[in-house]
Amino acid sequence: MAVADVLKLIEENDVKFVDLRFTDTLGKEQHVTIPAHVLTEDAEEWFERGHAFDGSSIAGWKGIQASDMLLIADPASAKIDPFFDEPTVFMSCDVIDPADGKGYDRCPRSIAKRAEAYLKASGVGDTAYFGPEPEFFVFDSVTWGTDMSGTFVKIKSEEAAWASAQEFEGGNTGHRPGVKGGYFPVPPVDSGQDLRSAMVLLLEELGVPVEVHHHEVATAGQMEIGTKFSTLTQRADWTQIMKYVIQNVAHSYGKTATFMPKPIVGDNGSGMHVHQSIWKDGKNLFAGDGYAGLSDTALYYIGGIIKHAKALNAITNPGTNSYKRLVPHYEAPVKLAYSAKNRSASIRIPHVANPKGRRIEARFPDPLSNPYLCFAALLMAGLDGIQNKIHPGDAADKNLYDLPPEEDKLIPTVCASLDEALAALDKDREFLTRGGVFSNEWIDAFIELKMKEVNLTRMTTHPVEFAMYYSL
């Protein structure tokens, strides 16, 4: 879409407002709304001028002494919002620093665009395709609290395995998935069919192509909606639209959706497997005649991800909760190995009939990650592997959870905590800063922002500690 198309969209739908959206460092979309006439009075000039806002109020961004920032809307992203009462067009925005007119170095969407530009400048390829699979939970309600008197969290879900003894208005139907029993029985055990279908219809209405939807392994409403791959920045845009639609449809049904990696204890967590490939001149550079139909380029890309995995964890698994998922035996890919068959490996090679679909799948990221940062960081690690021909070694086709101890200790693992990941990022950052994609200032600010989360959890007494230590 061009500017003229946005004007046509506004006119044909009698649009009253324009909603400008951008993503902060944590991955949450922020927005500001203007009357449509502000844009239409001089659209070409408005799209060039942008909308001013206070960048000092965004966590991890500019200080109060240099707070003026600009939102430059992307006309190609314009869509009609399906949830607002008044007709509203929303657009994804780049955050521009008015001091130099360039993408702000801490704007995630600008970082994603710089990663795509670096790929082209490197000569390795011209297009990077990404296909994320964010899982999520839908609960009936959730409550939590932390103060000096104690701390708690309580999840309510009629679908949950633990709800079999509860009384509900209208009675307890008894149909629900057990622990690790949600993949994939038909309704009424799967209670989310109509909810997911409503999400899918809205996603496709908003231009996000859907390929599949289903219940996931865990009880209590774990779900997945599979969508099509696309180029790095657009695919990150689509992921933000997915989160927005999923959370708002759940809200409209009187339920609540979360992308927390590990909201419940004792069952599978939610991952975000990320499919990736690099193309040049219309050719898939990952297709070859090596292991599982991979090229040397693809193997080197895997080598780069494995080499930098611990630093990547800070970006691909950016919450303290992320590491409650990354433990063995819950289908969590903690072992830094690759395989065409073994889902316990952190890198999987999906089976495809057509070489054009050849790709690799990083399985350790989770949906708490900011998609712009996640995809950009994975690309930068993979490019380092290609540029330096980092071979990942032999594939791992054994069950990595049942290896003899002498073999097990030879296979590296992802980080076990966020503070370990942040320390790894601090030491292993040079590959991210090439081409000015990520700046050292951004990395420092990100580590500082995330260490506040680490320290908060360090200082907060956990209820399970009473079970372990109260009577000693």
Side-chain angles (χ1 to χ4, degrees), residues 146-311:
T146 300
D147 59 26
M148 293 178 70
S149 69
T151 184
F152 78 97
V153 59
K154 192 67 177 178
I155 294 168
K156 292 184 179 179
S157 170
E158 189 169 347
E159 194 196 85
W162 64 78
S164 60
Q166 296 178 17
E167 290 294 336
F168 298 100
E169 185 178 349
N172 190 324
T173 68
H175 296 292
R176 54 182 54 87
V179 175
K180 298 177 74 72
Y183 194 85
F184 6 91
V186 298
V189 175
D190 173 7
S191 66
Q193 178 72 21
D194 290 337
L195 177 76
R196 294 194 305 273
S197 292
M199 294 170 177
V200 167
L201 291 176
L202 283 182
L203 284 170
E204 296 214 310
E205 184 180 307
L206 294 173
V208 181
V210 176
E211 296 179 330
V212 66
H213 76 80
H214 58 86
H215 203 288
E216 260 296 343
V217 172
T219 190
Q222 189 185 35
M223 306 178 185
E224 182 178 325
I225 297 175
T227 52
K228 193 175 181 180
F229 69 91
S230 189
T231 52
L232 191 156
T233 301
Q234 183 176 70
R235 187 52 260 201
D237 287 344
W238 287 359
T239 304
Q240 294 299 75
I241 291 173
M242 280 188 71
K243 287 187 171 184
Y244 180 71
V245 167
I246 287 167
Q247 290 184 331
N248 278 281
V249 169
H251 187 74
S252 70
Y253 273 66
K255 296 181 181 291
T256 177
T258 181
F259 291 90
M260 279 183 68
K262 194 73 171 180
I264 62 174
V265 178
D267 209 336
N268 282 35
S270 291
M272 185 176 75
H273 306 156
V274 181
H275 297 252
Q276 302 155 67
S277 62
I278 293 178
W279 290 57
K280 186 174 185 179
D281 298 328
K283 180 183 178 182
N284 184 358
L285 300 184
F286 280 17
D289 55 8
Y291 176 81
L294 294 179
S295 65
D296 286 343
T297 298
L299 290 171
Y300 295 148
Y301 189 98
I302 291 170
I305 289 179
I306 290 176
K307 175 185 176 182
H308 298 295
K310 287 183 179 288

Side-chain angles (χ1 to χ4, degrees), residues 11 65 85 220 311 422-423 425 427:
E11 181 181 359
Q65 75 281 1
D85 289 339
L422 293 171
L425 174 62
K427 293 179 181 178

